[in-house]
Amino acid sequence: MLEPLGLSFDGERVYRTLLAQPSWKLADIAAHLTLTERHVRSALDELADLALLRPADGPADELLPISPSVGLATLLARTEAELADRQRRIEATRAAVATIAAEHDGARARESITRHEGIEAVRARIEELAAATRTEMVSLNPNSAQTPDAKAASKPLNQQLLERGVAIRCIYQDSFRNDPATLAAARWLAELGGQTRTVPTVPLLMIVIDRETVLVPIDPANSRLGALELRSPGVVTAAYALFEQTWLNATPFGESATRDGNELTLQEREIIKLLADGHTDEIVARRLDLSTRTTRRVVAELMGRLDARSRFQAGLRIAERGWHR
């Protein structure tokens, strides 16, 4: 109980015993507390160092305990003064850290593009940006970026942001609904207040923070190479507009895919568009991060709805109905 004052557990027990029995000798105390005389002697030395003992009027080696209202009160006042001084030094350090961070961020703000080489540098920078985020963080997330280590790195940051009241909106590909780990992450995010939607294809990996900063991969085909941090107002506005347009056309997590006036989902429209551009089932599947089997199943369903016996016939009927527009 008195450890904050510098008093050990045994030291406190010996002190309390002396307060109750000031005439007891070393052996009496040791027997009462079931301690060795060496331990009691060490505790007495500790009490003497803390000025909780005073010489008695009798024998020169006899010591008496100082009243708690004097001795302990003195120790408490000293501890409080030390804590106050430490708090003042912490506040001064906090101010210095804020000044250095402001200078650092100010230097970054003057640059329209900052290059962060390697995935570790990117994650470190995202941590810095997350700590300074005030209102909102939005992101586009292609499935290629949803690695286990990426999910693990983003989870604590997302939790801290949401607990501070920062809005988080994420867009994933429709195919993420087939991935248990990503589904679990989306459910967890939703429980904390984050929002998730999906679209058939996500154009690129992108994070927009407070409508002031954009992070995009140096190489969209390999996000582990690093990222570009962009602060140019024109670029940020365009990036945010891309996110908002994609968000408006996306399906909220937990809801069934919406259909347009032709009763087509966004995924079905995207498959029709890619096939009309001459892509094979395999390429369509790769673009949408679907299995070839799933792609062929969707195409077969579309042919059934068109009452088409061949893909050529389906193409003609798609054109007749205007499904390709």
Side-chain angles (χ1 to χ4, degrees):
M1 186 183 300
L2 299 181
E3 287 182 358
L5 303 183
L7 201 59
S8 68
F9 177 69
D10 285 342
E12 179 180 344
R13 294 174 68 203
V14 170
Y15 179 62
R16 286 174 176 271
T17 301
L18 282 174
L19 288 172
Q21 302 291 339
S23 63
W24 277 11
K25 305 301 181 184
L26 188 146
D28 300 322
I29 298 171
H32 177 69
L33 298 177
T34 64
L35 293 173
T36 65
E37 292 191 6
R38 181 173 62 84
H39 280 98
V40 174
R41 189 174 291 107
S42 176
L44 291 172
D45 290 341
E46 178 184 305
L47 293 173
D49 291 340
L50 293 173
L52 291 175
L53 297 177
R54 64 176 177 81
D57 294 333
D61 61 345
E62 186 177 352
L63 296 172
L64 295 176
I66 299 291
S67 167
S69 60
V70 176
L72 293 182
T74 300
L75 288 178
L76 180 60
R78 185 175 68 189
T79 302
E80 289 175 336
E82 291 173 351
L83 289 174
D85 181 64
R86 178 174 174 79
Q87 187 60 40
R88 284 192 294 270
R89 285 186 278 118
I90 289 174
E91 291 301 326
T93 303
R94 190 194 309 280
V97 169
T99 299
I100 294 171
E103 292 173 353
H104 180 60
D105 288 340
R108 289 183 183 275
R110 289 191 293 271
E111 303 174 7
S112 60
I113 300 178
T114 304
R115 189 181 179 96
H116 303 285
E117 300 282 353
I119 190 66
E120 293 305 323
V122 174
R123 288 176 180 164
R125 182 54 182 156
I126 289 175
E127 287 185 11
E128 294 175 354
L129 291 170
T133 301
R134 302 183 304 278
T135 58
E136 182 184 48
M137 180 180 287
V138 302
S139 61
L140 296 175
N141 304 275
N143 282 8
S144 58
Q146 300 310 301
T147 60
D149 57 334
K151 291 189 184 74
S154 65
K155 189 171 183 178
L157 293 181
N158 287 338
Q159 182 167 355
Q160 292 167 16
L161 288 168
L162 290 168
E163 288 176 348
R164 281 173 32 217
V166 174
I168 293 181
R169 290 188 290 160
C170 307
I171 298 176
Y172 296 94
Q173 287 183 230
D174 285 337
S175 56
F176 103 103
R177 296 170 184 266
N178 301 320
D179 177 44
T182 310
L183 277 174
R187 292 192 185 97
W188 172 84
L189 191 68
E191 289 173 357
L192 292 180
Q195 299 181 65
T196 301
R197 294 187 179 185
T198 65
V199 290
T201 57
V202 174
L204 78 163
L205 176 62
M206 180 180 77
I207 302 174
V208 184
I209 300 163
D210 283 338
R211 305 191 194 187
E212 295 175 352
T213 306
V214 177
L215 287 174
V216 294
I218 292 173
D219 180 358
N222 186 0
S223 61
R224 299 190 69 85
L225 294 180
L228 299 176
E229 180 179 334
L230 311 170
R231 289 179 173 265
S232 170
V235 173
V236 175
T237 299
Y240 192 79
L242 171 62
F243 174 86
E244 282 291 0
Q245 185 61 40
T246 308
W247 181 262
L248 290 174
N249 293 319
T251 302
F253 174 69
E255 295 183 11
S256 300
T258 57
R259 296 182 180 273
D260 61 16
N262 293 315
E263 289 299 308
L264 295 172
T265 66
L266 286 174
Q267 185 181 80
E268 289 169 343
R269 291 192 67 87
E270 194 67 21
I271 288 175
I272 289 172
K273 179 180 179 298
L274 291 170
L275 290 175
D277 289 340
H279 296 299
T280 64
D281 290 348
E282 288 74 18
I283 292 177
V284 172
R286 194 177 309 124
R287 290 280 186 90
L288 302 183
D289 200 29
L290 300 172
S291 67
T292 303
R293 181 178 179 181
T294 298
T295 301
R296 288 173 178 164
R297 176 181 57 76
V298 174
V299 171
E301 290 173 355
L302 290 170
M303 290 177 64
R305 287 161 59 185
L306 291 164
D307 196 22
R309 298 181 179 179
S310 68
R311 292 200 176 194
F312 177 75
Q313 187 179 32
L316 292 176
R317 293 187 176 175
I318 284 172
E320 290 172 357
R321 298 188 185 190
W323 284 11
H324 61 294
R325 292 195 292 270

